[in-house]
Amino acid sequence: MADGDPTVSVVIPTHNREHLICDALDSVQAQSFRDLEIIVVDDGSTDGTRQRVAQWSEASELAVRYAGQPQSGGNAARNKGIGKARGRYVAFLDSDDLWHPDKLRKQVELLEARPGYGAAYTGLRETDAESGAVISEPRHAYPEGDLLNDLLVSDVTAPTSAWIARRALFQKAGGFDQGLMARQDWDMWIRLAQCAKIGCVPEALVDLRHHSGPRTVSDPARELAAYRRILEKYAPLRRQRGLRVRLAALSSYHRRAGRVHLHYLNRRGRAIGHYLMALALWPLAADTWAALLGAFLPATLRRQLRTRWNAIFGGTALAIRSH
């Protein structure tokens, strides 16, 4: 790293977020860790995003490096940001999310103290963008260390805005898979975990915001295709990791497919079939039992039971993550 290069490069991919991106930038400016640069990659915005970023940069003590590209998707935007990064670490922030002030400081301290760790994520909460009200704050175990087996089964970590990684690790693991139309983050975490241990700051230091403006919405067909592709892509690696990983991963695939059929396609019968297959393959997952029970309950009651259950068992293996 050349003299004068920042410690952290903050990569913010964006598309048509003129109404939200300055909030994200404000949360970077509010960081207690200051040795950073900001790279905004505009994925073909047609609104006033570029102008809003320019105005923010002029009024801020932090300079923004702005890169535009024809609309190619979030994967391409993140990869372009990684390519332009100069920092020892790269952190991602979606342009409609927010960081809490100590987010970067705590992650950098963790990675500086653990040279064998290549990346770190944090806890998060879901909030309403307009009111700031907390919608939910997940309560579950936050694993760290050698996470490869766990990640081959399911994503046990957090979305992109919660992550920071050594830039050298991306050079080793490769960029985000631009052929995946969903779950690109999970695919990336698997490849990072092949190369290094993963750390965690379990505090909720990221706000994943819900809002009425444009946002990537779950596309059932894309979700199902992504689950299948990731299942097939890492089949040789799972075979190397033993029978438990293979069975648990197949079970997780059916649980996730069942969730899509139940919550997005309104196909209760198909969902129950997937849940039963998941249990036949790996009956030790609390999530799958919860999913099967939830298929017979009204949505409101299902959410209430999940909240109460996780209030007691949120930090244990019995926590319910997906349902």
Side-chain angles (χ1 to χ4, degrees), residues 31-216:
Q31 290 298 298
S32 57
F33 185 88
R34 306 300 294 171
D35 187 16
L36 56 85
E37 67 172 347
I38 301 174
I39 304 168
V40 173
V41 183
D42 189 338
D43 186 44
S45 290
T46 56
D47 64 357
T49 294
R50 182 178 189 127
Q51 292 75 18
R52 293 297 300 274
V53 172
Q55 292 167 2
W56 187 93
S57 182
E58 289 176 3
S60 171
E61 62 188 48
L62 295 176
V64 175
R65 297 167 60 199
Y66 188 92
Q69 66 178 29
Q71 187 173 359
S72 307
N75 289 350
R78 292 187 183 95
N79 288 342
K80 187 167 189 172
I82 294 169
K84 290 184 172 296
R86 298 175 299 168
R88 186 161 68 252
Y89 303 104
V90 178
F92 302 102
L93 175 61
D94 286 355
S95 57
D96 48 0
D97 294 336
L98 300 176
W99 285 345
H100 295 207
D102 289 330
K103 190 261 189 190
L104 286 182
R105 179 181 64 79
K106 291 187 176 184
Q107 288 181 301
V108 170
E109 287 177 351
L110 183 153
L111 291 173
E112 293 286 288
R114 302 180 188 178
Y117 281 60
Y121 68 100
T122 74
L124 58 82
R125 62 184 188 176
E126 298 180 47
T127 64
D128 179 79
E130 294 183 3
S131 67
V134 177
I135 298 171
S136 70
E137 186 169 333
R139 291 176 52 86
H140 54 70
Y142 291 93
E144 59 179 353
D146 181 356
L147 297 186
L148 182 56
N149 282 355
D150 290 337
L151 283 167
L152 285 170
V153 173
S154 63
D155 188 356
V156 295
T157 61
T160 315
S161 292
W163 275 73
I164 186 173
R166 301 182 193 274
R167 181 158 59 96
L169 193 60
F170 287 113
Q171 296 170 346
K172 187 174 182 180
F176 286 86
D177 185 344
Q178 294 180 210
L180 273 173
M181 301 305 292
R183 298 320 320 265
Q184 307 95 330
D185 52 350
W186 176 26
D187 174 79
M188 172 57 79
W189 312 151
I190 292 172
R191 284 184 283 123
L192 294 185
Q194 286 182 263
C195 302
K197 293 180 179 179
I198 308 298
C200 179
V201 180
E203 301 170 52
L205 297 176
V206 175
D207 283 356
L208 184 71
R209 298 204 292 174
H210 294 253
H211 53 82
S212 57
R215 186 177 181 119
T216 302

Side-chain angles (χ1 to χ4, degrees), residues 148-149 152 194 233-247:
L148 182 56
N149 282 355
L152 285 170
Q194 286 182 263
K233 183 176 182 178
Y234 295 104
L237 183 56
R238 289 197 306 276
R239 284 195 291 271
Q240 298 174 15
R241 308 296 288 192
L243 183 62
R244 187 200 72 82
V245 172
R246 293 168 60 189
L247 292 177

